[in-house]
Structure formats: structure tokens, C-alpha cells
């Protein structure tokens, strides 16, 4: 992606004309669930047109016969093929797309099913260690990342998981995800800059809602913002609407954060308007789950929500749609960026380039959802935009940053 004014290292770049994108999926006889086919793009110059022989195990790891003698960078993919096949297929497609666009003839993707729990992910990760993986990408679930990390740490192999739970990051485990804490911080910071000093919260009574509440209280205290009330509800239309009416019946705050999507979000918006809430006086706000939904709900018009760089996302979606003839899932971009990062770091030094220091580059990277970087604790920091809801559209109120503060540049 074009990031002309950013100091971050771009993950996307013009395709290499001589790239040979090697997918291991067709070679993995032991893979229980075979991923979908690769991108439907014209073959690149030099790409083999016949199916190669099955791979063999060498001292360095699993090696297709046609890759013998090369300094192979083995990228393990732990994806939920059996548990969440749609997400797994999209993540795998995006990983292959990154390989076609950015990889080289020495990069090998090795997909395995992460299973449904910590034990299955640990077993799959140990198998990837036997395969010679230089980095593990995935799994999606918290338990899976923890299981993979336990296996990978024994050989000092970094893991880039897709969980948003910060408690499992660190010590070589990185979380390429959309983390609530960053979103809440960005939203409250912007609200405070617009002189919003009192905020109420509507959120589901589950782990997501409790994390939003905890992050909101911490950020509000830091910004001098008062939390007037916090309503956590069972995630049904009736309970969500009742919680909204309870807030509307009390002292009106300057802002209300609605940390929900789908039918409960629509029920809350309708209930607030029917209760007489003036959205010109009380600003409705949301997390990134509003994206693509709030614009279809008239009661939320004029509201604000936080989101990754929308321009970067559109570019990725267009390229994915061209390659596969369908739109990517929300998580697909994570698969692209993780593989793109592995190929970027290994471009000059092979597997030796994939180090913690390189992954924790303070300048960050320009990915499919905009700017991001990892801390030593494994948490991701993203450059986030503030969006305004319009009927059937949106508007960027404050663009995502093009570079991080304190990046050392």
C-alpha cells in the first residue's frame, strides 16, 4: 500500500515479476483439512505448471523436492480449518495472496489445523516445529495461541497470533488483532478533544463488554472524563432496548458509547430516539464493530466510531476480490499482513531476519488495515481513524496517523 508520507515499512509493494509463490497446501498429505485453492491470477513467470512430488523431511525441516538446496523460509500457518472453516479459508487465501504479491521462491507456507482448544493447537505447533517452521502465524482463539506459544517458545520461534487478549502476549508472542483497549483510548481521546466530558456506556454483559468498560474507566480517568453510568445487558434486543431507555431516563451525558453491533445496536439506537434523546446534544459513539452496520441505521446518523485506516482496507479488499472473486472476511487482512511481515523480514537475511527486534520495530509497518506496530509485551498498536456515520455512508473526521509518535525517527 502506498504510504508516501509514512516512516513505517510498507508491507505491500509492487508484485515481483519473477516471484514463484509456493503454497504447501497441495503438498501436505497429512493435512486433515485442505485449504482452498490459491489466488486465481495468471501464473507468474517461472511458476511450475505441474504438481511437484511430495515433500521430504530433511535436517532443516520439510522440503519439497523442487526446493532442495534453497535457503527456505518456512512459515507455519495454524488456522481453524475444522472449527471455523470460512474464516480459515479467507485467512489462508489472504496468506497466499501476500505470498504471490510479496514472497520469493524460497518462502514456503505450511498450513495445519489448529483444532478447537489449547491441546490441539499445541500438538499442531509441535508438528510445525518438526516441519522446521521459522515463524508460526495463528491461531485465532486465545487458547490456541497459548498452546502454540508453549510449543514454539522451546525453540525460540516467534508466534503471531490473531487473539485480542493481551494477557497471552509477550516473550515472542505477538497479537495481530483489533484490540479493544486501543480503540477505546482513541475514541475517548478524540471525544475529550471535542469537549465531551461526560460519557455513559451501553455494552453487552460478556467478556467483550467488560473489557470495554474496564478500558473506558481507565482512559476516562486519564483524560478527566466522567463516566455517568454503565449499563451492561444480556445481548437480546429487549434487554438492549431496556438498558438504552434507562440511560435516556436519567441525566443526559454528553456522549454515549454503544459497544455492540447487529440487532442489539439497532434496538439501542431506536430506543434512544424513541425516548427523546437529542443526538445533537448527546453524541453516540462506537467501537470498530460499528463499521458497515451503523451506516444502515438512521438513528445512529451523526455518531462517531473508531476504525482502522479505511483507505488501506479498501485497497486490500479490492485486490482480494480480484484474486478470489469474493469479498474477504473481517479477519482475512490479518492473514495477509502476518505473511507479508514474515516475507519482508526474511527478504535479505532469510529466516535469520525474523527476530524479536525486527518484529518490534518502533517505526511500525503499513498493512492492510493501516499503520501498526508491536510492543515487547506482544500487544499491537494501530493507527486508527475516527469516522462519522452518515446515512448509507461515512466520513473520515480524523484520519489515521501516517507515523507513530515516539518511533525513534
Amino acid at each position: 500500500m502506498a504510504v508516501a508520507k509514512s516512516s513505517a515499512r510498507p508491507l505491500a509493494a509492487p508484485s515481483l515479476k519473477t516471484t514463484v509463490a509456493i503454497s504447501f497446501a497441495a503438498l501436505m498429505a497429512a493435512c486433515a483439512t485442505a485449504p482452498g485453492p490459491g489466488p486465481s491470477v495468471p501464473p507468474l513467470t517461472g511458476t511450475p505448471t505441474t504438481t511437484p512430488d511430495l515433500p521430504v523431511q530433511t535436517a532443516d525441516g520439510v522440503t519439497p523436492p523442487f526446493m532442495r538446496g534453497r535457503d527456505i523460509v518456512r512459515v507455519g500457518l495454524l488456522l481453524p480449518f475444522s472449527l471455523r472453516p470460512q474464516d480459515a479459508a479467507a485467512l489462508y487465501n489472504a496468506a497466499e495472496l501476500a505470498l504471490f504479491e510479496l514472497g520469493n521462491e524460497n518462502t514456503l507456507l505450511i498450513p495445519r489445523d489448529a483444532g478447537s482448544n489449547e491441546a490441539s493447537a499445541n500438538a499442531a505447533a509441535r508438528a510445525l516445529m518438526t516441519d522446521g517452521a521459522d515463524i508460526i502465524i495463528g491461531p485465532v482463539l486465545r487458547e490456541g495461541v497459548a498452546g502454540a506459544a508453549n510449543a514454539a517458545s522451546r525453540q525460540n520461534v516467534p508466534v503471531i497470533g490473531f487473539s485480542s487478549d493481551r494477557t497471552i502476549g509477550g516473550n515472542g508472542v505477538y497479537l495481530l488483532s483489533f484490540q479493544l483497549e486501543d480503540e477505546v483510548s482513541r475514541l475517548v481521546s478524540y471525544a475529550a478533544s471535542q469537549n465531551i466530558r461526560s460519557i455513559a456506556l451501553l455494552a453487552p454483559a460478556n467478556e467483550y463488554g467488560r473489557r470495554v468498560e474496564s478500558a473506558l474507566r481507565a482512559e476516562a480517568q486519564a483524560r478527566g472524563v466522567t463516566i455517568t453510568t454503565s449499563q451492561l445487558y444480556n445481548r437480546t434486543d429487549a434487554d438492549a432496548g431496556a438498558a438504552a431507555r434507562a440511560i435516556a431516563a436519567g441525566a443526559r451525558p454528553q456522549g454515549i458509547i454503544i459497544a455492540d453491533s447487529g440487532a442489539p445496536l439497532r434496538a439501542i439506537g431506536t430506543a434512544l430516539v424513541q425516548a427523546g434523546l437529542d443526538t445533537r446534544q448527546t453524541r453516540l459513539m462506537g467501537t470498530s464493530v460499528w463499521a458497515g452496520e451503523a451506516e444502515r441505521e438512521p438513528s445512529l446518523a451523526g455518531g462517531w466510531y473508531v476504525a482502522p485506516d479505511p483507505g488501506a482496507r479498501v485497497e486490500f479488499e479490492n485486490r482480494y476480490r480480484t484474486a478470489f472473486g469474493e469479498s474477504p472476511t473481517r479477519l482475512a487482512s490479518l492473514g495477509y499482513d502476518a505473511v507479508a511481515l514474515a516475507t519482508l523480514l526474511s527478504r535479505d537475511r532469510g529466516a535469520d531476519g525474523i527476530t524479536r527486534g525486527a518484529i518490534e520495530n518502533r517505526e511500525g509497518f503499513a498493512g492492510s488495515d493501516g499503520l501498526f506496530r508491536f510492543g515487547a509485551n506482544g500487544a499491537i498498536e494501530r493507527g486508527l481513524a475516527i469516522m462519522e456515520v452518515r446515512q448509507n455512508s461515512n466520513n473520515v473526521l480524523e484520519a489515521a496517523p501516517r507515523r507513530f509518535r515516539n518511533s525513534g525517527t
Side-chain angles (χ1 to χ4, degrees):
M1 284 2 17
V3 284
K5 296 183 179 180
S6 173
S7 61
R9 301 180 70 181
L11 294 182
S15 298
L16 302 176
K17 298 300 183 182
T18 57
T19 295
V20 180
I22 307 299
S23 167
F24 195 60
L27 309 176
M28 279 292 287
C31 187
T33 307
S40 54
V41 296
L44 300 171
T45 302
T47 302
T49 57
T50 59
T51 302
D53 296 332
L54 291 177
V56 296
Q57 191 75 27
T58 68
D60 295 325
V62 70
T63 304
F66 60 89
M67 296 184 76
R68 285 178 179 171
R70 300 181 191 174
D71 184 14
I72 301 174
V73 176
R74 297 173 176 84
V75 179
L77 298 179
L78 278 184
L79 303 178
F81 291 116
S82 58
L83 186 66
R84 294 165 58 175
Q86 182 179 10
D87 276 334
L91 284 163
Y92 183 78
N93 284 347
E96 280 207 319
L97 182 61
L99 196 60
F100 268 87
E101 292 184 341
L102 301 168
N104 60 53
E105 61 184 9
N106 296 330
T107 303
L108 182 67
L109 296 184
I110 310 175
R112 286 190 177 273
D113 186 9
S116 60
N117 54 42
E118 183 171 342
S120 61
N122 180 270
R126 283 188 280 109
L128 285 175
M129 293 298 96
T130 300
D131 294 335
D134 299 300
I135 185 170
I136 291 178
I137 291 171
V140 172
L141 300 180
R142 177 196 184 281
E143 295 79 6
V145 176
N150 179 268
S153 63
R154 299 174 185 178
Q155 296 187 35
N156 201 31
V157 170
V159 173
I160 299 182
F162 301 135
S163 169
S164 62
D165 188 339
R166 292 187 175 192
T167 63
I168 58 174
N171 195 31
V173 178
Y174 304 93
L175 304 175
L176 182 58
S177 55
F178 304 103
Q179 295 191 354
L180 286 173
E181 290 78 6
D182 280 353
E183 293 186 10
V184 172
S185 175
R186 178 75 165 100
L187 188 60
V188 174
S189 174
Y190 181 78
S193 74
Q194 302 302 304
N195 295 316
I196 291 178
R197 296 295 171 185
S198 60
I199 293 176
L201 173 66
L202 284 163
N206 55 22
E207 181 184 358
Y208 180 91
R210 286 186 286 272
R211 283 180 60 192
V212 171
E213 182 182 35
S214 177
L216 175 60
R217 292 192 182 282
E219 192 63 28
Q221 183 177 15
R223 301 283 178 181
V225 173
T226 299
I227 306 302
T228 60
T229 185
S230 178
Q231 290 276 345
L232 302 185
Y233 51 83
N234 293 323
R235 201 167 184 267
T236 66
D237 293 4
D239 285 354
R245 288 188 290 273
I247 283 185
R252 301 285 171 86
Q254 292 176 290
I256 299 175
I257 292 179
I258 308 170
D260 213 333
S261 60
L265 174 61
R266 294 189 291 274
I268 287 171
T270 300
L272 289 174
V273 171
Q274 290 177 345
L277 184 79
D278 185 349
T279 56
R280 294 170 298 180
Q281 300 296 320
T282 299
R283 184 71 62 177
L284 302 184
M285 299 177 283
T287 60
S288 64
V289 297
W290 277 31
E293 293 196 19
E295 293 83 356
R296 299 194 298 269
E297 175 50 52
S299 63
L300 301 177
W304 302 337
Y305 66 90
V306 64
D309 187 337
R313 178 73 189 189
V314 167
E315 289 184 23
F316 165 72
E317 290 181 349
N318 288 341
R319 299 199 315 279
Y320 186 101
R321 199 174 292 113
T322 297
F324 300 104
E326 61 185 21
S327 297
T329 64
R330 187 68 193 92
L331 296 182
S333 58
L334 305 181
Y336 183 98
D337 284 351
V339 171
L341 179 58
T343 60
L344 172 69
L345 299 183
S346 62
R347 180 170 298 162
D348 297 327
R349 299 176 53 209
D352 290 341
I354 304 177
T355 66
R356 293 187 190 181
I359 295 172
E360 296 167 19
N361 186 313
R362 298 305 295 160
E363 293 181 21
F365 307 92
S368 300
D369 291 292
L371 193 63
F372 71 92
R373 67 180 175 185
F374 295 110
N377 64 351
I380 191 172
E381 178 183 356
R382 288 190 180 275
L384 299 169
I386 299 293
M387 310 296 294
E388 180 184 40
V389 177
R390 295 184 177 178
Q391 193 163 356
N392 297 317
S393 67
N394 55 46
N395 178 55
V396 178
L397 285 181
E398 190 168 272
R402 293 297 180 181
R403 62 184 298 169
F404 284 115
R405 296 179 180 179
N406 307 317
S407 64
T409 60

